[in-house]
Amino acid sequence: MGDAQTRLALIGAGPMGLATAKLLVEHGIAFQGFELNSGVGGLWDIDAPRSTMYETAHLISSRKMTEFTDFPMREDVAEYPSHREMKRYFQDFADHFDLSKHYHFGAEVVSCIPLGGPDEGWRIVWRNDDGEHVETFSGLLIANGTLSEPNMPDFEGTFTGEMIHSSDYRHPTQFSGKRVLVIGAGNSGCDIAVDAIHHGASCDLSMRRGYYFVPKYVFGKPADTMGGAIKLPMALKRIVDGAILKWFVGNPQKYGFPKPGYKLYESHPVVNSLVLYHAGHGDLTIRPDVNRFDGKTVHFKDGTQADYDMILAATGYKLDYPFIDNALLNWQGDAPHLYLNCMHPERDDIFVLGMVEASGLGWQGRHEQAEMVVRYIKGLRDGAEDARRLQQTKAQGYTRATGGMAYIDLPRMAYYVDKATYRKAVTKWIARLGGQRA
Ligand SMILES: Cc1cc2nc3c(=O)[nH]c(=O)nc-3n(C[C@H](O)[C@H](O)[C@H](O)COP(=O)(O)OP(=O)(O)OC[C@H]3O[C@@H](n4cnc5c(N)ncnc54)[C@H](O)[C@@H]3O)c2cc1C
């Protein structure tokens, strides 16, 4: 079969799309990449149309634990680099592996419709400055990101001050002179609250639930590098990490933070050293959940109230695939239900890449996902026995790789996995499909 019959469409040139593109090239699989932005880097390009990055953002996972193994960051890059450094890194990655030539940039995929049953190909409509284009591909690789579509809850009442979602936050001067309320204390909420403390007139943080706080540094080293290659069972890991958190963080409840109603690692921990520091200095007031708005007054669920000029809702993101019918993604509940978060149970012509989150998965974890997928596609084409076995395995039904963890019931946890369980399963398939031994 010629390229025209087997060519795949790849959506996105963020970290996930780039890793996939590199692997497709390495395995000699023809594809066409589509990227809405004018360049690579995904949301790490703060100027990209779908970017939710802000000026002061840095990695929350450390450089060494995040980078692609076969493309380490330069030695002079900081341990927790800024988004600008990351944009440069992904540009370097694309240049090194000569990936840009495989993409149309400024090209948005607007619809993907199957031409018939599985494996009969896809009709893809995409648009750029020249207008709309229609093309046919044999399969679809979707790497359009998970953190671009804001999740904005409905609040009771009307707030007459300025209200934005964190996706619209770019620069701390947006807070200048304002009494700020940040709603939501996940990683973005806490990070942005620190900016509001420094630049606003005051900052309060409304929290619906408690979080575990992990400092960026432990014993002078990035916290996620502690433990090295030692892999503890979860029960033991909780005891060890819980003790470390007690030593380094103390008890956040003494500053008014609510106590988590779940165990460590049942939700994504907040990696932030500064928010507790500022709470300890009295520069941050912790508030409970919002009850209702009334003009510039916010009423909280504990009966207290306060006035604000600006509210920033750091209330997270929703998975969003506007160019395809969700039913084709085997959507169940809050997310597509896919084998190892990327493979359709019956179809071998559609893959979703990067729809995976885990504490410390990094880009290497995502690269492994792409490697499994690309080796699978290649294996099927070559008639490899282990590709057939994977095909049977995913058709027989599966559960998410949670490692038995009971994650808290939130949309953003619907595609969360246990890193060790997930990587073990993925690297096992990579090895069986002819990659390096797991
Ligand atoms: C503030 C912040 C801090 C973060 N910190 C970390 C961290 O420390 N460590 C970590 O591992 N992760 C972190 N993340 C998570 C981040 O999502 C990942 O690092 C990574 O960017 C995900 O890569 P991706 O390629 O899946 O998605 P994205 O980076 O979102 O890239 C998706 C690409 O697809 C393109 N696209 C979307 N729709 C279309 C379409 N219809 N047609 C064509 N192109 C399209 C977009 O333009 C974009 O370029 C952070 C995220 C944020 C917002």
Side-chain angles (χ1 to χ4, degrees), residues 12 14-16 35-36 42-44 59-61 107 109 144-145 363 366:
M16 193 68 238
E35 170 52 58
L36 174 63
L43 55 70
W44 295 97
L59 278 191
I60 57 165
S61 49
V109 172
N144 66 329
W363 298 316
R366 293 176 172 101

Side-chain angles (χ1 to χ4, degrees), residues 158-161 292-300 304-308 311:
T158 309
F159 182 68
T160 52
R292 66 189 168 87
F293 300 147
D294 182 9
K296 285 193 159 185
T297 307
V298 178
H299 296 266
F300 297 98
T304 59
Q305 62 185 72
D307 292 348
Y308 301 97
I311 293 178

Side-chain angles (χ1 to χ4, degrees), residues 37-54:
N37 189 20
S38 55
V40 302
L43 55 70
W44 295 97
D45 177 356
I46 194 169
D47 299 318
R50 305 266 300 158
S51 178
T52 49
M53 203 39 70
Y54 42 91

